[in-house]
Amino acid sequence: MTVPAVTLPASSGRSAEAAADSILERQRARESSARTYARSFPIVPARAHGMTIEGTDGRRYLDCLSGAGTLALGHNHPVVREAIQRTLDSGAPLHVLDLATPEKDDFTDALFETLPTAFADRARVHFCGPAGTDAVEAALKLMQTATGRRGVLAFTGAYHGMTAGALAATGSVAVKEPVPGGGAAGGEVTRLPYPYAYRCPFGVGGERGAELAATYTERLLADPSGGVVRPAAMILEAVQGEGGAVPAPDGWLREMRRITRERDIPLIVDEVQTGVGRTGAYWAVEHSGIVPDAMVMSKAVGGGLPLAVIVYDREYDGWLPGAHTGTFRGNTLAMAAGAATLRYVRREGLAERAATVGARMSARLDGLRSELPLIGDVRGRGLMIGVEVVDPEGPLDSCGSRPVAPELAARVQEGCLRRGLILELGGRFGSTVRLLPPLVITDEETESVLERLTDAIAEAFSYGAAGRAA
Ligand SMILES: Cc1ncc(COP(=O)(O)O)c(C=O)c1O
């Protein structure tokens, strides 16, 4: 670990812990009750480097959350710092709306170099407001404008963001239910089944489940009494992130491409979390070879700073000047940090490394299932890994899966934090432990993550077993 030694506000020991506690206390008192990660991780980060975060109390953690998948190169990577420093030193304006700048030009070059050729050749880019959800809104609006249609096809388990249109397309009932109309303000959404072998919507699992999901979609759209007016777009994730690291089979994705193309429905692939090497390919669409009509990008494309874009086929470029504006579309530092990150990931073959390390981690975790049967399923793609935690003695369903065990999953997460490992829960009922380490994770760090996670799972298993015996 190479975090440079600097003096902390309270350097160590009890006084440092007390200082951290009072910061946490003030946050609890003053911030919104929607605080999220801060609830599971009551730590006060002071410095970070690579995949290590150090708290103001001097405790160190391996960060397998990476800013929810934003930090492809981990914290404070030298190429990102150098790009930011160089831009600051150059005196470039830090905010320019959507004016042309050398940094934007360079970012666009770097981005287009990474795109599948068939897509890049016909691509247009639109810089959106800075968050992933802004880019999702832009993509939906673009396709509504281009097609003159309104509705959207979206999937069970999907996560697209928290603003109206993105929330409407999102699957999570928990975030929609408290909003009157359940997020309906974002427009009419037809919910389709996403292939999820372990909790198959058709109760069969495996390839057959994915085939049925495709057949259902095709027949519903073809049915003149199916109730679905031809929509403006279909939006999907090639690997569902917040949904629990659920990868769609390549064959199913190709079916979605065929079905949408045959019906003249634009296909939007949301690569906000899967992009920039995370899944073992630069863009997750490359695994299946599909060419979408639009891709939504954020998180890692800004090198850790806020940046979001949509890239789409020029055929859909029907917006009038000013049709989709926004103040924060010209973040020069994010463009410089993003261009440096995009190029580094390509130059260093980090997508390939994500594929190799991810396969190793997944295989090791999968190998623990017989010994630690609260591991119900290990899945994902590249360094986007999910471990679904189940009740090891619950009844098997028709797919051979056991019931979710969110309390045990929370115990695993808490046990990991005690061991100095930060990782997030996601998926149905928050029962999937999610690993999103930076793509630069070393072999040594990989081993530490696996060791700490295995110990925490074993501890939760013993706790569960003790509870059952009592
Ligand atoms: C696939 C996907 N789309 C959209 C978003 C929304 O991005 P943001 O949180 O930056 O609005 C997320 C966030 O996790 C995401 O995973």
Side-chain angles (χ1 to χ4, degrees), residues 37 67-68 70 130-136 158-163 166 170 235-237 239-243 270-274 296 298-299 307-308 384 434:
Y37 301 101
T70 298
T133 199
D134 299 320
V136 168
Y159 185 80
H160 298 293
M162 287 282 146
T163 51
T170 287
I235 183 165
L236 58 80
E237 297 152 89
V239 183
Q240 288 187 340
E242 305 303 303
D270 181 343
E271 291 257 17
V272 166
Q273 193 164 138
T274 48
V296 184
S298 185
K299 292 198 193 272
L307 186 65
M384 197 165 171
R434 298 184 59 214

mmCIF file of all heavy atoms in Angstrom, residues 37 67-68 70 130-136 158-163 166 170 235-237 239-243 270-274 296 298-299 307-308 384 434, ligand 1:
data_model
loop_
_atom_site.group_PDB
_atom_site.id
_atom_site.type_symbol
_atom_site.label_atom_id
_atom_site.label_comp_id
_atom_site.label_asym_id
_atom_site.label_seq_id
_atom_site.Cartn_x
_atom_site.Cartn_y
_atom_site.Cartn_z
ATOM 1 N N TYR A 37 -24.948 4.853 1.336
ATOM 2 C CA TYR A 37 -23.711 4.122 1.640
ATOM 3 C C TYR A 37 -23.204 4.489 3.034
ATOM 4 O O TYR A 37 -22.610 3.670 3.723
ATOM 5 C CB TYR A 37 -22.629 4.437 0.604
ATOM 6 C CG TYR A 37 -23.054 4.078 -0.802
ATOM 7 C CD1 TYR A 37 -23.493 5.053 -1.697
ATOM 8 C CD2 TYR A 37 -23.037 2.756 -1.229
ATOM 9 C CE1 TYR A 37 -23.905 4.716 -2.976
ATOM 10 C CE2 TYR A 37 -23.443 2.408 -2.508
ATOM 11 C CZ TYR A 37 -23.872 3.394 -3.370
ATOM 12 O OH TYR A 37 -24.284 3.052 -4.638
ATOM 13 N N GLY A 67 -16.519 3.705 -5.747
ATOM 14 C CA GLY A 67 -17.450 4.764 -6.153
ATOM 15 C C GLY A 67 -18.566 4.192 -7.016
ATOM 16 O O GLY A 67 -18.919 4.774 -8.044
ATOM 17 N N ALA A 68 -19.130 3.044 -6.586
ATOM 18 C CA ALA A 68 -20.177 2.356 -7.359
ATOM 19 C C ALA A 68 -19.727 2.098 -8.800
ATOM 20 O O ALA A 68 -20.490 2.283 -9.749
ATOM 21 C CB ALA A 68 -21.494 3.137 -7.300
ATOM 22 N N THR A 70 -17.220 3.597 -10.422
ATOM 23 C CA THR A 70 -16.724 4.769 -11.143
ATOM 24 C C THR A 70 -15.204 4.734 -11.328
ATOM 25 O O THR A 70 -14.681 5.162 -12.356
ATOM 26 C CB THR A 70 -17.102 6.045 -10.353
ATOM 27 O OG1 THR A 70 -18.513 6.096 -10.285
ATOM 28 C CG2 THR A 70 -16.572 7.284 -11.006
ATOM 29 N N PRO A 130 -24.210 15.930 -15.638
ATOM 30 C CA PRO A 130 -23.056 15.099 -15.276
ATOM 31 C C PRO A 130 -23.317 13.693 -14.759
ATOM 32 O O PRO A 130 -22.380 12.925 -14.616
ATOM 33 C CB PRO A 130 -22.390 15.929 -14.172
ATOM 34 C CG PRO A 130 -23.482 16.751 -13.593
ATOM 35 C CD PRO A 130 -24.432 17.028 -14.701
ATOM 36 N N ALA A 131 -24.545 13.323 -14.464
ATOM 37 C CA ALA A 131 -24.774 12.010 -13.846
ATOM 38 C C ALA A 131 -25.309 10.991 -14.854
ATOM 39 O O ALA A 131 -25.836 11.360 -15.912
ATOM 40 C CB ALA A 131 -25.766 12.144 -12.694
ATOM 41 N N GLY A 132 -25.200 9.728 -14.479
ATOM 42 C CA GLY A 132 -25.713 8.667 -15.335
ATOM 43 C C GLY A 132 -27.185 8.849 -15.626
ATOM 44 O O GLY A 132 -27.651 8.655 -16.758
ATOM 45 N N THR A 133 -27.930 9.241 -14.607
ATOM 46 C CA THR A 133 -29.378 9.399 -14.780
ATOM 47 C C THR A 133 -29.694 10.500 -15.799
ATOM 48 O O THR A 133 -30.665 10.404 -16.554
ATOM 49 C CB THR A 133 -30.043 9.655 -13.403
ATOM 50 O OG1 THR A 133 -31.434 9.385 -13.491
ATOM 51 C CG2 THR A 133 -29.804 11.061 -12.875
ATOM 52 N N ASP A 134 -28.860 11.544 -15.851
ATOM 53 C CA ASP A 134 -29.061 12.617 -16.844
ATOM 54 C C ASP A 134 -28.914 12.062 -18.256
ATOM 55 O O ASP A 134 -29.645 12.441 -19.183
ATOM 56 C CB ASP A 134 -28.024 13.732 -16.657
ATOM 57 C CG ASP A 134 -28.104 14.389 -15.291
ATOM 58 O OD1 ASP A 134 -29.227 14.600 -14.812
ATOM 59 O OD2 ASP A 134 -27.046 14.684 -14.709
ATOM 60 N N ALA A 135 -27.937 11.176 -18.416
ATOM 61 C CA ALA A 135 -27.689 10.621 -19.746
ATOM 62 C C ALA A 135 -28.813 9.661 -20.147
ATOM 63 O O ALA A 135 -29.188 9.585 -21.320
ATOM 64 C CB ALA A 135 -26.334 9.920 -19.778
ATOM 65 N N VAL A 136 -29.358 8.931 -19.155
ATOM 66 C CA VAL A 136 -30.497 8.058 -19.453
ATOM 67 C C VAL A 136 -31.679 8.905 -19.934
ATOM 68 O O VAL A 136 -32.321 8.603 -20.948
ATOM 69 C CB VAL A 136 -30.881 7.211 -18.214
ATOM 70 C CG1 VAL A 136 -32.225 6.523 -18.419
ATOM 71 C CG2 VAL A 136 -29.790 6.188 -17.909
ATOM 72 N N ALA A 158 -33.917 -3.923 -13.589
ATOM 73 C CA ALA A 158 -33.117 -2.847 -14.183
ATOM 74 C C ALA A 158 -32.848 -1.716 -13.191
ATOM 75 O O ALA A 158 -33.651 -1.468 -12.289
ATOM 76 C CB ALA A 158 -33.862 -2.277 -15.394
ATOM 77 N N TYR A 159 -31.715 -1.052 -13.358
ATOM 78 C CA TYR A 159 -31.473 0.207 -12.645
ATOM 79 C C TYR A 159 -30.949 1.224 -13.655
ATOM 80 O O TYR A 159 -29.930 0.989 -14.312
ATOM 81 C CB TYR A 159 -30.459 0.042 -11.504
ATOM 82 C CG TYR A 159 -30.343 1.342 -10.729
ATOM 83 C CD1 TYR A 159 -31.296 1.673 -9.769
ATOM 84 C CD2 TYR A 159 -29.340 2.258 -11.010
ATOM 85 C CE1 TYR A 159 -31.241 2.885 -9.095
ATOM 86 C CE2 TYR A 159 -29.270 3.473 -10.337
ATOM 87 C CZ TYR A 159 -30.223 3.776 -9.378
ATOM 88 O OH TYR A 159 -30.170 4.973 -8.717
ATOM 89 N N HIS A 160 -31.654 2.356 -13.750
ATOM 90 C CA HIS A 160 -31.223 3.378 -14.708
ATOM 91 C C HIS A 160 -31.069 4.747 -14.072
ATOM 92 O O HIS A 160 -30.656 5.688 -14.750
ATOM 93 C CB HIS A 160 -32.199 3.446 -15.884
ATOM 94 C CG HIS A 160 -32.264 2.169 -16.673
ATOM 95 N ND1 HIS A 160 -31.202 1.700 -17.411
ATOM 96 C CD2 HIS A 160 -33.243 1.238 -16.798
ATOM 97 C CE1 HIS A 160 -31.532 0.546 -17.983
ATOM 98 N NE2 HIS A 160 -32.761 0.237 -17.620
ATOM 99 N N GLY A 161 -31.420 4.897 -12.788
ATOM 100 C CA GLY A 161 -31.226 6.189 -12.150
ATOM 101 C C GLY A 161 -32.466 6.642 -11.420
ATOM 102 O O GLY A 161 -33.475 5.917 -11.342
ATOM 103 N N MET A 162 -32.402 7.866 -10.886
ATOM 104 C CA MET A 162 -33.409 8.327 -9.934
ATOM 105 C C MET A 162 -34.270 9.481 -10.438
ATOM 106 O O MET A 162 -35.158 9.934 -9.731
ATOM 107 C CB MET A 162 -32.716 8.761 -8.645
ATOM 108 C CG MET A 162 -32.205 7.599 -7.826
ATOM 109 S SD MET A 162 -33.554 6.823 -6.912
ATOM 110 C CE MET A 162 -33.045 5.123 -6.911
ATOM 111 N N THR A 163 -33.985 10.012 -11.611
ATOM 112 C CA THR A 163 -34.842 11.080 -12.135
ATOM 113 C C THR A 163 -36.036 10.452 -12.858
ATOM 114 O O THR A 163 -36.029 9.245 -13.128
ATOM 115 C CB THR A 163 -34.039 12.000 -13.073
ATOM 116 O OG1 THR A 163 -33.367 11.178 -14.036
ATOM 117 C CG2 THR A 163 -33.010 12.809 -12.311
ATOM 118 N N ALA A 166 -35.753 7.884 -15.860
ATOM 119 C CA ALA A 166 -34.869 6.780 -15.474
ATOM 120 C C ALA A 166 -35.504 5.956 -14.359
ATOM 121 O O ALA A 166 -35.420 4.724 -14.355
ATOM 122 C CB ALA A 166 -33.519 7.338 -15.022
ATOM 123 N N THR A 170 -36.558 1.997 -14.164
ATOM 124 C CA THR A 170 -35.920 1.171 -13.139
ATOM 125 C C THR A 170 -36.901 0.137 -12.603
ATOM 126 O O THR A 170 -38.111 0.386 -12.533
ATOM 127 C CB THR A 170 -35.406 2.113 -12.010
ATOM 128 O OG1 THR A 170 -34.271 2.802 -12.528
ATOM 129 C CG2 THR A 170 -35.018 1.376 -10.745
ATOM 130 N N ILE A 235 -34.706 -0.090 -23.451
ATOM 131 C CA ILE A 235 -33.465 0.218 -22.737
ATOM 132 C C ILE A 235 -33.090 -0.978 -21.867
ATOM 133 O O ILE A 235 -33.940 -1.559 -21.193
ATOM 134 C CB ILE A 235 -33.576 1.518 -21.901
ATOM 135 C CG1 ILE A 235 -32.236 1.830 -21.227
ATOM 136 C CG2 ILE A 235 -34.708 1.469 -20.870
ATOM 137 C CD1 ILE A 235 -32.125 3.261 -20.694
ATOM 138 N N LEU A 236 -31.819 -1.363 -21.925
ATOM 139 C CA LEU A 236 -31.375 -2.517 -21.128
ATOM 140 C C LEU A 236 -29.912 -2.373 -20.737
ATOM 141 O O LEU A 236 -29.154 -1.601 -21.327
ATOM 142 C CB LEU A 236 -31.603 -3.823 -21.901
ATOM 143 C CG LEU A 236 -30.957 -4.013 -23.269
ATOM 144 C CD1 LEU A 236 -29.484 -4.408 -23.174
ATOM 145 C CD2 LEU A 236 -31.696 -5.105 -24.038
ATOM 146 N N GLU A 237 -29.545 -3.151 -19.697
ATOM 147 C CA GLU A 237 -28.139 -3.299 -19.289
ATOM 148 C C GLU A 237 -27.673 -4.685 -19.743
ATOM 149 O O GLU A 237 -28.389 -5.662 -19.535
ATOM 150 C CB GLU A 237 -28.010 -3.241 -17.764
ATOM 151 C CG GLU A 237 -28.427 -1.933 -17.128
ATOM 152 C CD GLU A 237 -28.915 -2.170 -15.691
ATOM 153 O OE1 GLU A 237 -28.083 -2.137 -14.774
ATOM 154 O OE2 GLU A 237 -30.127 -2.395 -15.501
ATOM 155 N N VAL A 239 -25.187 -6.298 -18.437
ATOM 156 C CA VAL A 239 -25.059 -6.965 -17.136
ATOM 157 C C VAL A 239 -25.753 -6.029 -16.150
ATOM 158 O O VAL A 239 -25.367 -4.857 -16.044
ATOM 159 C CB VAL A 239 -23.581 -7.135 -16.694
ATOM 160 C CG1 VAL A 239 -23.503 -7.893 -15.367
ATOM 161 C CG2 VAL A 239 -22.754 -7.840 -17.760
ATOM 162 N N GLN A 240 -26.771 -6.529 -15.467
ATOM 163 C CA GLN A 240 -27.451 -5.645 -14.505
ATOM 164 C C GLN A 240 -26.560 -5.489 -13.273
ATOM 165 O O GLN A 240 -26.173 -6.474 -12.637
ATOM 166 C CB GLN A 240 -28.802 -6.232 -14.109
ATOM 167 C CG GLN A 240 -29.817 -6.141 -15.239
ATOM 168 C CD GLN A 240 -31.210 -6.565 -14.804
ATOM 169 O OE1 GLN A 240 -31.386 -7.267 -13.808
ATOM 170 N NE2 GLN A 240 -32.217 -6.123 -15.564
ATOM 171 N N GLY A 241 -26.259 -4.224 -12.947
ATOM 172 C CA GLY A 241 -25.368 -3.960 -11.827
ATOM 173 C C GLY A 241 -26.108 -3.935 -10.507
ATOM 174 O O GLY A 241 -26.038 -4.872 -9.702
ATOM 175 N N GLU A 242 -26.876 -2.864 -10.295
ATOM 176 C CA GLU A 242 -27.624 -2.735 -9.032
ATOM 177 C C GLU A 242 -28.597 -3.900 -8.887
ATOM 178 O O GLU A 242 -28.942 -4.296 -7.777
ATOM 179 C CB GLU A 242 -28.392 -1.406 -8.992
ATOM 180 C CG GLU A 242 -27.528 -0.163 -9.209
ATOM 181 C CD GLU A 242 -26.404 -0.052 -8.218
ATOM 182 O OE1 GLU A 242 -26.683 -0.030 -7.015
ATOM 183 O OE2 GLU A 242 -25.226 0.002 -8.641
ATOM 184 N N GLY A 243 -29.026 -4.460 -9.994
ATOM 185 C CA GLY A 243 -29.939 -5.610 -9.988
ATOM 186 C C GLY A 243 -29.303 -6.866 -9.420
ATOM 187 O O GLY A 243 -29.973 -7.888 -9.265
ATOM 188 N N ASP A 270 -27.576 0.695 -21.731
ATOM 189 C CA ASP A 270 -27.080 1.520 -20.628
ATOM 190 C C ASP A 270 -25.762 0.918 -20.145
ATOM 191 O O ASP A 270 -25.733 -0.111 -19.474
ATOM 192 C CB ASP A 270 -28.132 1.523 -19.506
ATOM 193 C CG ASP A 270 -27.725 2.372 -18.310
ATOM 194 O OD1 ASP A 270 -26.531 2.697 -18.184
ATOM 195 O OD2 ASP A 270 -28.605 2.693 -17.485
ATOM 196 N N GLU A 271 -24.655 1.576 -20.525
ATOM 197 C CA GLU A 271 -23.311 1.090 -20.164
ATOM 198 C C GLU A 271 -22.724 1.931 -19.028
ATOM 199 O O GLU A 271 -21.510 1.995 -18.872
ATOM 200 C CB GLU A 271 -22.399 1.152 -21.389
ATOM 201 C CG GLU A 271 -22.745 0.160 -22.489
ATOM 202 C CD GLU A 271 -21.806 -1.057 -22.519
ATOM 203 O OE1 GLU A 271 -21.095 -1.296 -21.524
ATOM 204 O OE2 GLU A 271 -21.797 -1.743 -23.552
ATOM 205 N N VAL A 272 -23.593 2.579 -18.259
ATOM 206 C CA VAL A 272 -23.105 3.456 -17.193
ATOM 207 C C VAL A 272 -22.183 2.688 -16.231
ATOM 208 O O VAL A 272 -21.134 3.170 -15.834
ATOM 209 C CB VAL A 272 -24.293 4.092 -16.432
ATOM 210 C CG1 VAL A 272 -23.861 4.724 -15.117
ATOM 211 C CG2 VAL A 272 -24.972 5.145 -17.311
ATOM 212 N N GLN A 273 -22.583 1.465 -15.896
ATOM 213 C CA GLN A 273 -21.780 0.702 -14.925
ATOM 214 C C GLN A 273 -20.878 -0.333 -15.604
ATOM 215 O O GLN A 273 -19.822 -0.672 -15.080
ATOM 216 C CB GLN A 273 -22.718 0.008 -13.926
ATOM 217 C CG GLN A 273 -21.995 -0.535 -12.729
ATOM 218 C CD GLN A 273 -22.883 -0.878 -11.545
ATOM 219 O OE1 GLN A 273 -22.684 -1.887 -10.918
ATOM 220 N NE2 GLN A 273 -23.858 -0.047 -11.228
ATOM 221 N N THR A 274 -21.303 -0.820 -16.769
ATOM 222 C CA THR A 274 -20.556 -1.906 -17.414
ATOM 223 C C THR A 274 -19.388 -1.418 -18.261
ATOM 224 O O THR A 274 -18.527 -2.225 -18.632
ATOM 225 C CB THR A 274 -21.500 -2.701 -18.347
ATOM 226 O OG1 THR A 274 -22.226 -1.767 -19.160
ATOM 227 C CG2 THR A 274 -22.471 -3.553 -17.555
ATOM 228 N N VAL A 296 -25.448 4.631 -23.338
ATOM 229 C CA VAL A 296 -25.442 5.619 -22.261
ATOM 230 C C VAL A 296 -24.184 5.377 -21.442
ATOM 231 O O VAL A 296 -23.907 4.243 -21.041
ATOM 232 C CB VAL A 296 -26.678 5.442 -21.346
ATOM 233 C CG1 VAL A 296 -26.717 6.534 -20.297
ATOM 234 C CG2 VAL A 296 -27.955 5.447 -22.155
ATOM 235 N N SER A 298 -21.439 6.891 -18.309
ATOM 236 C CA SER A 298 -21.087 7.849 -17.250
ATOM 237 C C SER A 298 -20.071 7.148 -16.357
ATOM 238 O O SER A 298 -19.237 6.406 -16.861
ATOM 239 C CB SER A 298 -22.354 8.281 -16.498
ATOM 240 O OG SER A 298 -22.059 9.273 -15.552
ATOM 241 N N LYS A 299 -20.127 7.344 -15.050
ATOM 242 C CA LYS A 299 -19.197 6.729 -14.091
ATOM 243 C C LYS A 299 -17.746 6.802 -14.607
ATOM 244 O O LYS A 299 -17.178 7.871 -14.639
ATOM 245 C CB LYS A 299 -19.625 5.295 -13.772
ATOM 246 C CG LYS A 299 -20.964 5.222 -12.973
ATOM 247 C CD LYS A 299 -21.120 3.869 -12.316
ATOM 248 C CE LYS A 299 -22.517 3.615 -11.797
ATOM 249 N NZ LYS A 299 -22.799 4.058 -10.459
ATOM 250 N N LEU A 307 -19.146 13.134 -15.292
ATOM 251 C CA LEU A 307 -19.242 13.297 -16.743
ATOM 252 C C LEU A 307 -20.218 12.243 -17.273
ATOM 253 O O LEU A 307 -20.164 11.092 -16.836
ATOM 254 C CB LEU A 307 -17.865 13.076 -17.384
ATOM 255 C CG LEU A 307 -17.738 13.350 -18.885
ATOM 256 C CD1 LEU A 307 -17.956 14.834 -19.191
ATOM 257 C CD2 LEU A 307 -16.348 12.957 -19.383
ATOM 258 N N ALA A 308 -21.085 12.632 -18.180
ATOM 259 C CA ALA A 308 -22.012 11.666 -18.761
ATOM 260 C C ALA A 308 -22.282 12.045 -20.217
ATOM 261 O O ALA A 308 -22.419 13.228 -20.543
ATOM 262 C CB ALA A 308 -23.327 11.652 -17.978
ATOM 263 N N MET A 384 -17.212 -7.459 -12.282
ATOM 264 C CA MET A 384 -18.556 -7.093 -11.840
ATOM 265 C C MET A 384 -19.155 -8.404 -11.343
ATOM 266 O O MET A 384 -19.718 -9.175 -12.117
ATOM 267 C CB MET A 384 -19.323 -6.553 -13.050
ATOM 268 C CG MET A 384 -20.542 -5.771 -12.747
ATOM 269 S SD MET A 384 -20.985 -4.906 -14.262
ATOM 270 C CE MET A 384 -22.557 -4.275 -13.786
ATOM 271 N N ARG A 434 -21.914 -7.584 -3.719
ATOM 272 C CA ARG A 434 -21.385 -7.165 -5.020
ATOM 273 C C ARG A 434 -19.925 -6.746 -4.923
ATOM 274 O O ARG A 434 -19.554 -5.979 -4.037
ATOM 275 C CB ARG A 434 -22.204 -5.991 -5.569
ATOM 276 C CG ARG A 434 -23.660 -6.324 -5.823
ATOM 277 C CD ARG A 434 -24.355 -5.148 -6.456
ATOM 278 N NE ARG A 434 -23.686 -4.819 -7.688
ATOM 279 C CZ ARG A 434 -23.557 -3.590 -8.169
ATOM 280 N NH1 ARG A 434 -24.026 -2.568 -7.525
ATOM 281 N NH2 ARG A 434 -22.920 -3.379 -9.301
HETATM 282 C C1 LIG B 1 -26.718 1.024 -15.204
HETATM 283 C C2 LIG B 1 -26.885 2.339 -14.511
HETATM 284 N N1 LIG B 1 -27.525 3.330 -15.150
HETATM 285 C C3 LIG B 1 -27.694 4.533 -14.592
HETATM 286 C C4 LIG B 1 -27.206 4.799 -13.330
HETATM 287 C C5 LIG B 1 -27.424 6.150 -12.712
HETATM 288 O O1 LIG B 1 -26.222 6.828 -12.609
HETATM 289 P P1 LIG B 1 -26.097 8.055 -11.575
HETATM 290 O O2 LIG B 1 -26.137 7.451 -10.201
HETATM 291 O O3 LIG B 1 -24.786 8.675 -11.893
HETATM 292 O O4 LIG B 1 -27.235 8.950 -11.837
HETATM 293 C C6 LIG B 1 -26.530 3.797 -12.629
HETATM 294 C C7 LIG B 1 -26.013 4.035 -11.269
HETATM 295 O O5 LIG B 1 -25.604 3.151 -10.546
HETATM 296 C C8 LIG B 1 -26.354 2.535 -13.232
HETATM 297 O O6 LIG B 1 -25.731 1.529 -12.607
#
